[in-house]
Structure formats: structure tokens, C-alpha cells
Amino acid sequence: MKIFITGGTGFIGQALVNQWLADHQITLLTRNPQNAERRFQHRISAVDSLDVFSHFNQFDAVVNLAGEPIFNRRWTDKQKTLIRQSRLNLTEKLTALINRSTEPPHCFISASATGYYGDKGQRVITESETPSESFTGQLCVQWEQAANQVKDQEKTRICLLRTGMPLAASGGMLGKVLPVYRWGFGGRLGNGKQIMPWIALPDMIRAIDFLLQTPNCRGAFNLAAPNLVNNAEFNHLLGTQLNRPHFAIAPACLLRILFGERACLLLDSQNAYPEKLLRAGFQFQFPELKPYLQQILPARRKKRR
């Protein structure tokens, strides 16, 4: 296929492009096309603006993963606007190009997040769950609405990725906390009861490919492992696997002082179950956290005295 991707140089995007390079022709939207082409050994094409296109007749699929990082900066009104506009404006431009196509892409895969649900406690939530009124919930609602502006959804099916936290030792959330755990300062966040909607990065990439290849898949999909854990369990499994102390506690009140409103990304509980993916026939390679951590993080041996 000929696939157009935004966010292709990010954590998820790079893994996806590397997975597809052998079988598909990839075009990326990126701020620095030359760097992107070098990064992928000149096996992709890259553009720095959508203005070079008047339509998307030339593409079989569009994958939209781009957006301003949501956790990097305090959520001031200005930052919230930047986070929102970076997602909505780009998605609206993509849907406009699809709508101007006489032979449009057959599939539009667009990112969202489990933040759609907000804090739902321990209750299992499927794709039919109502959205939260929180900032993240309404952000995801608007993001999905922008993707759903595609007019002819018989020709272009839409798949919305309500992504959990993709885990890999090389980056993302796990890559950021590994040094803390290796220094012996790992610990739970708040009371540790919040369910973490994690997913192994290889399963996320396989799930996106599955949605691309499966014609009857439409609508929103939870991209989270079927066997989730709470934060306390995650802390225990990670600390044990690394053979490091992991008894620190970051009180919820301290996290809210340090991070403000965005502390919800650390403290909200989202027991997101991938009901639609499983019903469609997708099989997770890593449905449980412990075996996955054992595979990607070699156990550290205790020093002999």
C-alpha cells in the first residue's frame, strides 16, 4: 500500500514505520524531511507541509499519530490551546484532503487515547463507555469528531485508536522511569490503586497493522492489554524484575502540587478492555505484564560478597 503517516518520527510512529517499510510505500509529514529520510535510510518519502497536496487520491491509507506532547509542560490555558490545536487542526486538514479525493484512501486511522474515559475507578470500560468531562476526555472527543468529518465513510473507513501507555525499554513512559528504578527510587504513585492501561509496544504496532488490514474494523478501539494491573502491581513487577528497591511513595497531593492538573495522567484509573479488538480476532502476543517485562528487561543479578 501507499501510506501517508503523521507523527512517524515519534516513539510509536518510528516503530510503525520500521514495521511497514518492507511491505509498503511510506510518506511522512515531518518538520524536517531530510532528517526523517536519513533516519529511515532513504526508504521513505517525507514532506514538511500538507499544502503540497490538493487531494489524497495517491494514498491507500492515512495514519494520523501527531500531536503536541501532553505531559511535558504545565497545563496553562495557553498550553491547553496548543495541545488541542496541534491535534484538531492537523486532523481537520487530513479529513479535508480525504474529502477532496475522488478515489480516497480506503482507511483513515487516527489517534485518540484512553484519556477519553477520565477516571473510572476499578470498573471495566469498553469502547461503548461515555467520555469524561475532563480536559483529556473532551480533548479526545473533539479529536475523534475531527476524524469523523470524513464524508464518505463507505469508501474510507475510520479507526480511532484509544491508546493506552505503550511500553518499551527504548522510550515512552517506561523508558523515562527506568533510570529512577535503577537508582533504587522506584515506588507507587498515590495509593497505587489506579489501573494503568498499558500495552506492549509490539502489540500496539501489530494492532494498528491489524486494523489497516481488516476491512470490517471501524470506529473506536481500546489499545490496551487485556490483563491490566494497577500502579502498585506495576511498581512491584518492575522493581522485582530489575532487582532494585521500589518502596518509595509519591503522595497524590504532592503530585498535584508538582504537576498541577496534568497529575490526572498519573492518578486516573482506566480499566480499558480491548473488547472490539478481541472480538475482531486480534490476538495479543503479550497479554500480561510480567512475562513482557521479563523479555525486554534482563534480570539484574545480585552481587556476591
Side-chain angles (χ1 to χ4, degrees):
M1 298 183 196
K2 295 180 179 179
I3 305 175
F4 184 80
I5 302 178
T6 72
T9 58
F11 174 54
I12 299 171
Q14 284 192 66
L16 186 64
V17 171
N18 285 325
Q19 176 71 21
W20 279 347
L21 274 177
D23 300 316
H24 305 294
Q25 295 180 34
I26 306 296
T27 301
L28 299 185
L29 176 67
T30 176
R31 291 187 181 93
N32 194 319
Q34 292 181 335
N35 282 353
E37 290 175 357
R38 283 196 297 269
R39 178 176 297 179
F40 295 109
Q41 300 177 329
H42 300 280
R43 298 174 65 192
I44 56 101
S45 300
V47 298
D48 61 4
S49 173
L50 291 176
D51 293 339
V52 300
F53 303 110
S54 56
H55 54 71
F56 272 168
N57 286 337
Q58 63 272 51
F59 296 112
D60 300 301
V62 176
V63 180
N64 178 29
L65 302 175
E68 175 75 10
I70 197 166
F71 192 75
N72 287 8
R73 297 181 180 178
R74 184 170 287 271
W75 287 354
T76 61
D77 289 342
K78 181 179 179 180
Q79 183 64 14
K80 283 184 176 181
T81 298
L82 180 60
I83 291 170
R84 187 182 297 109
Q85 290 181 344
S86 71
R87 288 157 173 76
L88 303 189
N89 292 353
L90 176 59
T91 306
E92 288 169 353
K93 289 179 181 179
L94 294 173
T95 57
L97 286 167
I98 293 172
N99 288 335
R100 288 202 293 268
S101 304
T102 55
E103 295 295 330
H106 64 74
C107 184
F108 180 31
I109 297 175
S110 190
S112 183
T114 56
Y116 177 95
Y117 304 113
D119 187 1
K120 289 296 194 292
Q122 305 299 303
R123 180 160 55 88
V124 175
I125 48 181
T126 66
E127 291 85 355
S128 61
E129 182 72 30
T130 56
S132 166
E133 293 297 325
S134 65
F135 169 66
T136 58
Q138 291 307 298
L139 171 67
C140 291
V141 167
Q142 294 168 3
W143 202 2
E144 293 182 9
Q145 287 173 343
N148 275 316
Q149 289 177 8
V150 171
K151 293 177 180 178
D152 193 344
Q153 296 188 21
E154 291 302 314
K155 286 186 176 180
T156 304
R157 62 186 175 88
I158 299 171
C159 296
L160 304 168
L161 311 177
R162 291 181 185 165
T163 60
M165 293 178 290
L167 299 185
S170 58
M173 183 277 286
L174 184 59
K176 291 178 181 177
V177 303
L178 277 176
V180 178
Y181 275 81
R182 286 173 171 147
W183 294 333
F185 298 122
R188 63 176 170 84
L189 305 177
N191 62 21
K193 294 180 180 179
Q194 65 272 32
I195 303 295
M196 300 175 61
W198 71 275
I199 182 172
L201 181 61
D203 276 338
M204 175 170 282
I205 301 309
R206 290 176 57 250
I208 296 173
D209 183 67
F210 178 85
L211 294 174
L212 175 71
Q213 305 284 356
T214 309
N216 62 337
C217 286
R218 296 173 179 269
F221 292 82
N222 288 341
L223 265 62
N227 299 301
L228 299 180
V229 297
N230 64 28
N231 178 258
E233 293 172 300
F234 175 86
N235 169 60
H236 173 72
L237 289 172
L238 181 56
T240 301
Q241 179 61 27
L242 295 173
N243 193 24
R244 299 298 296 152
H246 49 278
F247 304 113
I249 298 175
C253 59
L254 176 61
L255 294 173
R256 292 189 178 101
I257 292 172
L258 291 174
F259 299 111
E261 188 180 353
R262 63 192 165 134
C264 68
L265 300 176
L266 304 175
L267 298 173
D268 281 358
S269 181
Q270 295 157 358
N271 196 359
Y273 186 70
E275 182 177 73
K276 286 181 63 178
L277 264 180
L278 293 173
R279 192 193 310 149
F282 180 76
Q283 295 182 349
F284 283 81
Q285 185 178 0
F286 301 103
E288 296 185 357
L289 182 59
K290 183 177 180 179
Y292 180 58
L293 292 179
Q294 289 174 337
Q295 175 162 324
I296 65 173
L297 299 174
R300 179 182 177 185
R301 297 180 180 179
K302 293 182 179 180
K303 294 181 179 180
R304 295 182 180 180
R305 293 183 178 179

